[in-house]
Amino acid sequence: MTEQPAILIEGLRKVYGHGDTAVEALKDVHMSVAPGEVVGLIGPSGSGKSTLLKCLGAVIEPTAGRMVLSGQTIFDGADGGWQIPDLRALRRDRIGFIFQAPYLIPFLDVTDNVALLPMLAGQPNAASRTRARELLAALDVAHRAAAQPSELSGGEQQRVSIARALANHPPVVLADEPTAPLDSERALGVVRMLHRMAAQYRSAIIVVTHDEKIIPTFKRLYHIRDGRTVEERGEGRPV
Ligand code: ADP
Ligand code: MG
């Protein structure tokens, strides 16, 4: 029996705007990602990569198609759109976001930057900080737990932002060009951590990237071109 996908997307379509100025960013996107799997999402600039992540992250509303997370349909264009009432809770509890810039909160120390999301989700402060420290240790930045974000290197900041994305143990993690500002050694370090975190926490991770150094690390890739996805086998090179 095959495992139920963490992410299933069928026939997804997204049109921005209306009439003469409408932009059809996604035409027909299909994707399936298993728990614990890391897939690459590549394609030229303007091909719809960020649009896809925003739809999946319930930040914008698709125009048509279906999105299913761990067997639960969250969006069905043929059945009125969103299928769950609280999109904010969906984003907070079931989806982790990692961006090109770390966007750490400058007046919170590293631990509280990571503990904030579990706290907002209703976890007690002490338990949230314990979980934050566990994740910081898993990402090899435990020694920076009491530091302010401004005291960290770029690579350390990005690892803290990965810890933050994983703080609520989301089944889905969406990373939009997470290694873009890093040199190749630090970029590979971040990708190594993403692969390790997917295995450890069983999160399904989609990594949007242009980065030639990290593309060979994916076992499976989706290539998006002109709003349509094509699945490709990757090298799966160990990092
Ligand atoms: P990528 O991340 O692959 O570079 P995007 O998803 O950002 O691509 O954009 C896909 C297409 O949708 C582009 O043509 C872009 O100009 C257009 N687009 C993105 N966001 C908007 C928006 N808010 N309004 C109108 N068009 C948009
Ligand atoms: Mg983009």
Side-chain angles (χ1 to χ4, degrees):
M1 202 184 88
T2 53
E3 197 172 9
Q4 174 166 274
I7 302 166
L8 180 66
I9 297 176
E10 292 177 334
L12 202 71
R13 189 165 168 256
K14 172 64 183 175
V15 182
Y16 289 109
H18 300 278
D20 289 351
T21 58
V23 176
E24 195 175 18
L26 302 178
K27 293 178 180 159
D28 189 22
V29 165
H30 294 259
M31 203 176 223
S32 173
V33 189
E37 189 183 21
V38 186
V39 301
L41 176 60
I42 59 176
S45 181
S47 58
K49 303 181 298 296
S50 295
T51 299
L52 174 53
L53 292 197
K54 285 185 229 172
C55 287
L56 196 51
V59 177
I60 60 174
E61 186 170 336
T63 305
R66 214 158 77 87
M67 303 192 293
V68 184
L69 298 187
S70 311
Q72 183 189 20
T73 301
I74 61 160
F75 182 90
D76 189 348
D79 189 20
W82 295 109
Q83 303 293 302
I84 45 168
D86 191 347
L87 295 182
R88 203 190 303 179
L90 170 77
R91 286 191 292 264
R92 185 191 62 207
D93 300 334
R94 297 171 66 183
I95 297 171
F97 294 94
I98 302 166
F99 307 98
Q100 186 169 329
Y103 297 118
L104 301 177
I105 298 174
F107 51 83
L108 295 179
D109 70 16
V110 161
T111 302
D112 281 353
N113 262 279
V114 178
L116 184 63
L117 272 173
M119 287 175 186
L120 291 175
Q123 295 290 320
N125 289 5
S128 300
R129 291 200 174 102
T130 301
R131 190 188 291 186
R133 280 189 284 266
E134 254 171 51
L135 279 161
L136 291 167
L139 288 154
D140 297 337
V141 278
H143 58 296
R144 307 303 270 144
Q148 298 299 310
S150 61
E151 298 167 335
L152 306 182
S153 72
E156 286 172 338
Q157 288 187 23
Q158 197 55 310
R159 279 187 272 162
V160 173
S161 79
I162 295 172
R164 179 188 52 196
L166 292 162
N168 285 335
H169 293 179
V172 171
V173 174
L174 306 175
D176 200 346
E177 312 211 24
T179 64
L182 304 176
D183 64 42
S184 56
E185 195 182 323
R186 285 185 173 67
L188 282 171
V190 162
V191 172
R192 183 179 311 124
M193 292 303 169
L194 290 173
H195 285 282
R196 194 195 286 178
M197 295 298 107
Q200 189 166 337
Y201 295 105
R202 305 292 294 154
S203 295
I205 306 186
I206 300 178
V207 183
V208 168
T209 188
H210 287 116
D211 193 332
E212 296 296 338
K213 297 172 299 289
I214 73 170
I215 288 172
T217 71
F218 302 112
K219 285 197 187 111
R220 221 154 57 79
L221 292 153
Y222 286 89
H223 204 124
I224 182 163
R225 180 171 282 140
D226 194 25
R228 293 170 210 277
T229 37
V230 178
E231 188 186 336
E232 292 172 2
R233 185 174 291 278
E235 283 181 50
R237 197 185 288 174
V239 258

